[in-house]
């Protein structure tokens, strides 16, 4: 139920071209090697890391019908198809993601994907999965390994040329909204600052390890997701004000924080993908983007199919491509 993102995942396959631009510049500067891509985030980016942690079925997507459209088996992605992080890898001429936690030997020269469905920026919010902080620890392991394998200079070059992509915060706001349905404006503002503060700390640590190029996906219109509508008994066209307002505040604060980092940290570069506006446009004009239904998830239980995709008596739409 906390994975609001889960229910929207069938309509994500749009407007990913936005990110191609980051790599266009990166690759043209580097004639011989790709820039590496390191990915941090929640279910929007998780290629199956949660398959390899001890957590409940709620936080896993390694069973049907997940994966049916593209990979043809349930990889652990919270989608029938590819994730935004996969399309970005594709446009960057990198392979589709293997989970960082998948057993076996990995080459980290092209980067790694640490994302974990249900992940929070505030570690204590969801101890069942890999918080942003835990993902940072895994990144530090990769840094050590690269230094061992390639030496400090070459590893440093890779880390500096790399792009650091993140999508985090949505789950923090769903949890807050569940716990404090009657929070005041100032309590909401404080909470947003704590979430942003924790994200900023992680970004500063990555910068200290050599990271210079950051790509942030902001949070979506959380209050308009099928899960928000279902939990709060809303009509199809209504949105839940609390989480919608938190999302807007977060996205404003993210821009401010990134601009401050740009001032504080030499050579810090960033780009923000406005996922909020992209998804809002899709939600308001589904037909324009080839969808027949944007308010009801393709897979799940409840009137908006907002929970338990693949579990018990769930419903599945006939055509995931337009969610009808
Ligand atoms: C997995 O988590 C459950 C519940 O927290 C615990 O009882 C169990 O011992 C854990 N299993 C392993 C292998 O760590
Ligand atoms: C929030 O406010 C509503 C309406 O005033 C009230 O019914 C509800 O019990 C409150 N919830 C909590 C958790 O305080
Ligand atoms: C990060 O989150 C913790 C837990 O809520 C909070 O105590 C701390 O102040 C936050 N850090 C920053 C820099 O805001
Ligand atoms: C939504 O409706 C259900 C069934 O009528 C009820 O049990 C539940 O308390 C309602 N939830 C809210 C948030 O109003």
């Amino acid at each position: 139920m906390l994975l609001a993102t889960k229910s929207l995942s069938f309509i994500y396959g749009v407007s990913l071209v936005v990110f191609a631009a980051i790599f266009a510049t990166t690759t043209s500067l580097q004639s011989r090697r790709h820039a590496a891509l390191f990915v941090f985030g929640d279910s929007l980016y998780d290629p199956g890391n949660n398959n390899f942690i001890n957590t409940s079925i709620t936080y896993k997507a390694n069973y049907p019908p997940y994966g049916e459209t593209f990979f043809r088996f349930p990889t652990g992605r919270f989608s029938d198809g590819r994730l935004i992080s996969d399309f970005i890898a594709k446009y960057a001429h990198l392979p589709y993601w293997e989970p960082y936690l998948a057993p076996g030997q990995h080459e980290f020269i092209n980067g790694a994907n640490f994302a974990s469905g249900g992940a929070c920026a505030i570690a204590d919010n969801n101890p069942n999965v890999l918080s942003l902080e835990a993902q940072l620890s895994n990144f530090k392991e990769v840094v050590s390994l690269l230094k061992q394998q390639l030496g400090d200079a070459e590893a440093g070059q890779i880390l500096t040329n790399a792009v650091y992509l993140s999508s985090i915060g949505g789950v923090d706001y769903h949890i807050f909204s569940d716990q404090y349905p009657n929070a005041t404006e100032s309590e909401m503002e404080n909470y947003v600052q704590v979430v942003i503060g924790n994200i900023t700390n992680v970004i500063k640590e990555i910068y200290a390890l050599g990271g210079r190029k950051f790509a942030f996906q902001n949070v979506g219109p959380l209050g308009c997701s099928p899960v928000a509508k279902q939990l709060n008994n809303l009509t199809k066209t209504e949105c839940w004000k609390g989480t919608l307002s938190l999302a807007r505040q977060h996205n404003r604060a993210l821009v401010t924080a990134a601009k401050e980092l740009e001032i504080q940290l030499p050579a810090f570069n960033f780009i923000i993908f406005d996922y909020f506006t992209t998804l809002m446009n899709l939600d308001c004009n589904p037909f324009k983007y080839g969808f027949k239904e944007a308010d009801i998830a393709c897979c799940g239980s409840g009137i908006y199919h907002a929970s338990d995709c693949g579990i018990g008596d769930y419903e599945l739409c006939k055509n995931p491509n337009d969610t009808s």
Side-chain angles (χ1 to χ4, degrees):
M1 144 184 136
L2 300 173
L3 292 176
T5 50
K6 196 164 156 178
S7 48
L8 278 171
S9 54
F10 281 84
I11 57 167
Y12 283 151
V14 284
S15 71
L16 310 172
V17 190
V18 184
F19 273 119
I22 322 169
F23 285 93
T25 46
T26 310
T27 43
S28 67
L29 292 173
Q30 276 200 305
S31 49
R32 299 181 62 205
R33 187 157 57 209
H34 287 299
L37 176 59
F38 292 100
V39 179
F40 302 81
D42 51 25
S43 61
L44 294 179
Y45 286 180
D46 181 359
N49 280 306
N50 284 5
N51 297 349
F52 306 103
I53 63 174
N54 184 16
T55 190
S56 67
I57 191 170
T58 321
Y59 297 112
K60 297 196 182 200
N62 56 352
Y63 44 86
Y66 288 117
E68 66 173 10
T69 307
F70 185 78
F71 294 102
R72 308 276 177 203
F73 75 101
T75 59
R77 287 166 173 81
F78 289 86
S79 174
D80 65 313
R82 286 165 286 183
L83 305 177
I84 290 178
S85 48
D86 290 307
F87 284 99
I88 294 169
K90 181 182 154 169
Y91 293 132
H93 305 290
L94 297 171
Y96 292 124
W97 293 110
E98 286 293 325
Y100 165 75
L101 292 181
Q105 287 287 331
H106 295 276
E107 269 262 39
F108 294 120
I109 259 178
N110 287 329
N113 186 329
F114 307 103
S116 172
C120 289
I122 297 175
D124 292 344
N125 272 347
N126 190 359
N128 302 298
V129 299
L130 301 171
S131 65
L132 184 59
E133 196 179 27
Q135 295 177 34
L136 176 67
S137 300
N138 285 336
F139 170 65
K140 288 176 180 170
E141 296 288 327
V142 170
V143 171
S144 306
L145 215 77
L146 286 173
K147 287 185 173 170
Q148 266 171 39
Q149 289 170 347
L150 307 170
D152 286 5
E154 199 175 335
Q157 195 76 55
I158 290 175
L159 296 172
T160 300
N161 286 334
V163 173
Y164 298 85
L165 170 67
S166 58
S167 155
I168 195 84
V171 185
D172 293 275
Y173 296 114
H174 280 294
I175 289 176
F176 180 81
S177 175
D178 276 357
Q179 280 181 340
Y180 307 103
N182 300 329
T184 63
E185 272 305 313
S186 79
E187 285 165 341
M188 294 196 334
E189 275 166 32
N190 281 337
Y191 188 73
V192 169
Q193 286 313 316
V194 172
V195 170
I196 293 287
N198 277 264
I199 294 174
T200 305
N201 280 351
V202 169
I203 299 306
K204 283 180 175 165
E205 290 216 41
I206 296 172
Y207 178 90
L209 292 165
R212 293 294 179 270
K213 301 175 193 171
F214 294 86
F216 302 99
Q217 176 170 319
N218 69 9
V219 301
L222 303 169
C224 308
S225 66
V227 75
K229 291 178 206 251
Q230 192 162 308
L231 277 178
N232 299 296
N233 296 335
L234 304 183
T235 64
K236 260 180 94 160
T237 53
E238 285 178 305
C239 295
W240 186 245
K241 287 202 178 65
T243 35
L244 189 58
S245 159
L246 282 165
R248 286 206 167 95
Q249 290 180 46
H250 172 91
N251 292 344
R252 277 196 299 268
L254 180 65
V255 175
T256 307
K259 285 184 176 165
E260 273 168 20
L261 289 172
E262 194 179 37
I263 293 167
Q264 283 170 22
L265 308 174
F268 176 90
N269 279 292
F270 76 93
I271 184 172
I272 298 180
F273 166 39
D274 189 2
Y275 177 57
F276 183 100
T277 304
T278 305
L279 203 50
M280 205 58 149
N281 285 342
L282 192 153
D283 201 28
C284 298
N285 305 294
F287 285 95
K288 188 173 158 191
Y289 300 96
F291 292 95
K292 291 191 175 141
E293 176 60 72
D295 297 311
I296 302 177
C298 172
C299 178
S301 299
I303 52 168
Y304 298 114
H305 301 172
S307 67
D308 300 321
C309 175
I311 301 170
D313 286 329
Y314 68 94
E315 287 175 83
L316 185 60
C317 68
K318 281 204 185 64
N319 187 2
N321 285 338
D322 60 19
T323 81
S324 67

